[in-house]
């Protein structure tokens, strides 16, 4: 492609991105925090929307990508704090669409991964509102990667389970087979589970989980305020309390956490020396610096 051609094309047209039509709702994932993880589809939606109904964990720098005339409506839900009810949020986006607005429902992470995007989509179908889904990078994958933890690795696991730490009542999720999870999933990624971390760890250990298994708690993942606490299943609750780490956070349990000693690329930028063989499977390797 010539330089003249490259400078003459517009990104949406060049990529074949869909037109955001009036009266539509787009359910869009904003990623876990870092604007660099926003998809091109999400950026296009922000630039095109008349109204952006956004969640609590959407970074302000992402909202700044909305068009100059776009209306921004906060619809954040945070545990333990006054929050809009889900039914009210759903009714609001339906009402805005019926007004002929281009409605962007912007959610942290991915709308279909513990984001209640499925519930909103079902309500839109029932109301006869056309919609589109634009997935986003979910925190369990993106946040783990920013902590230097791959959720799968061929030397450790071929299975990973993503679970939520609470149900609609606010208590520990009751319909999980904890023993089966403890024995069957080498790696577990826990969303929204900090409040009940002790009880969850107890249930997993009762199901056969090794109390000394490594755990990483990743708070405010992918943002400048990211913190990572490395601990174990048995000590997780006490260590979180002592550290002062607060939600939002994800928790990774399993042998992949050991890989952080080698793959903490953000830590390496700050001078951390990385260990080339954290699992003891690559003989003859030496430590490498950043």
């Amino acid at each position: 492609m010539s330089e003249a051609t490259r400078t003459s094309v517009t990104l949406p047209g060049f990529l074949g991105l869909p037109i955001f039509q009036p009266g539509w709702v787009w359910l869009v994932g904003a990623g876990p925090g870092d604007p660099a993880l926003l998809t091109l589809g999400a950026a296009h939606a922000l630039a095109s929307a008349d109204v952006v109904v956004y969640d609590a964990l959407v970074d302000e720098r992402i909202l700044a990508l909305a068009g100059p005339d776009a209306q921004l409506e906060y619809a954040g839900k945070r545990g333990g704090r006054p929050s809009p009810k889900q039914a009210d949020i759903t009714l609001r986006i339906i009402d805005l669409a019926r007004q002929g607005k281009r409605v962007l429902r912007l959610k942290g992470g991915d709308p279909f991964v513990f984001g209640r995007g499925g519930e909103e989509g079902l309500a839109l179908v029932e109301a006869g509102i056309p919609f589109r889904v634009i997935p986003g990078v979910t925190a369990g994958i993106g946040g783990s990667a920013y902590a230097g933890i791959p959720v799968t690795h061929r030397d450790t696991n071929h299975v990973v389970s993503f679970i939520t730490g609470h149900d609609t009542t606010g208590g520990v999720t009751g319909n999980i087979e904890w023993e089966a999870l403890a024995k069957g999933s080498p790696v577990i990624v826990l969303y929204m589970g900090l409040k009940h971390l002790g009880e969850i760890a107890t249930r997993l250990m009762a199901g056969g989980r090794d109390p000394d298994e490594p755990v990483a708690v990743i708070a405010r993942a992918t943002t400048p305020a990211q913190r990572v606490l490395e601990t174990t299943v048995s000590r997780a609750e006490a260590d979180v309390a002592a550290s002062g780490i607060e939600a939002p956070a994800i928790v990774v349990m399993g042998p992949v956490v050991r890989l952080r000693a080698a793959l903490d690329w953000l830590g390496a930028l700050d001078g951390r020396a990385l260990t080339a063989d954290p699992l003891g499977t690559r003989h003859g390797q030496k430590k490498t610096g950043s």
Side-chain angles (χ1 to χ4, degrees), residues 78-123:
R78 297 295 300 275
R81 303 180 189 179
S83 303
K85 294 181 179 179
Q86 182 61 47
D88 294 335
I89 297 171
T90 302
L91 289 174
R92 178 59 177 162
I93 63 176
I94 290 172
D95 179 61
L96 288 167
R98 285 175 171 164
Q99 294 176 34
K101 305 286 188 181
R102 301 173 181 87
V103 185
L104 169 53
R105 179 68 174 107
L106 190 62
K107 296 172 172 287
D110 180 278
F112 279 5
V113 181
F114 304 125
R116 306 190 78 167
E119 296 174 41
E120 292 176 359
L122 291 171

Side-chain angles (χ1 to χ4, degrees), residues 9-18 40-41 44:
V9 299
T10 61
L11 190 62
F14 177 63
L15 296 178
L17 299 178
L40 289 172
H44 167 56

Side-chain angles (χ1 to χ4, degrees), residues 96-155:
L96 288 167
R98 285 175 171 164
Q99 294 176 34
K101 305 286 188 181
R102 301 173 181 87
V103 185
L104 169 53
R105 179 68 174 107
L106 190 62
K107 296 172 172 287
D110 180 278
F112 279 5
V113 181
F114 304 125
R116 306 190 78 167
E119 296 174 41
E120 292 176 359
L122 291 171
L124 292 169
V125 171
E126 185 176 5
I129 303 295
F131 70 98
R132 177 181 291 273
V133 178
I134 298 180
V137 176
T138 185
I141 295 175
S144 299
Y146 268 51
I149 301 170
V151 294
T152 65
H153 184 74
R154 66 179 182 175
D155 290 332

Side-chain angles (χ1 to χ4, degrees), residues 202-286:
T202 297
R203 294 189 183 194
L204 289 170
M205 287 187 290
R209 205 74 177 188
D210 181 357
D212 295 325
E213 180 177 69
V215 169
V217 181
I218 309 163
R220 299 209 167 268
T222 81
T223 74
Q226 175 175 296
R227 289 183 63 191
V228 182
L229 170 68
E230 292 187 52
T231 179
T232 65
V233 175
S234 63
R235 291 196 51 81
E237 180 182 29
D239 286 350
V240 165
S243 71
I245 279 184
E246 297 180 344
I250 58 171
V251 179
V252 184
M253 301 180 179
V256 291
V257 174
R258 294 192 180 94
L259 289 162
R260 186 167 190 266
L263 301 178
D264 180 16
W265 57 278
L266 280 174
L269 293 176
D270 291 331
R272 177 179 181 177
L274 302 181
T275 302
D277 190 17
L279 301 177
T281 58
R282 295 169 59 87
H283 301 294
Q285 297 290 337
K286 298 180 179 179

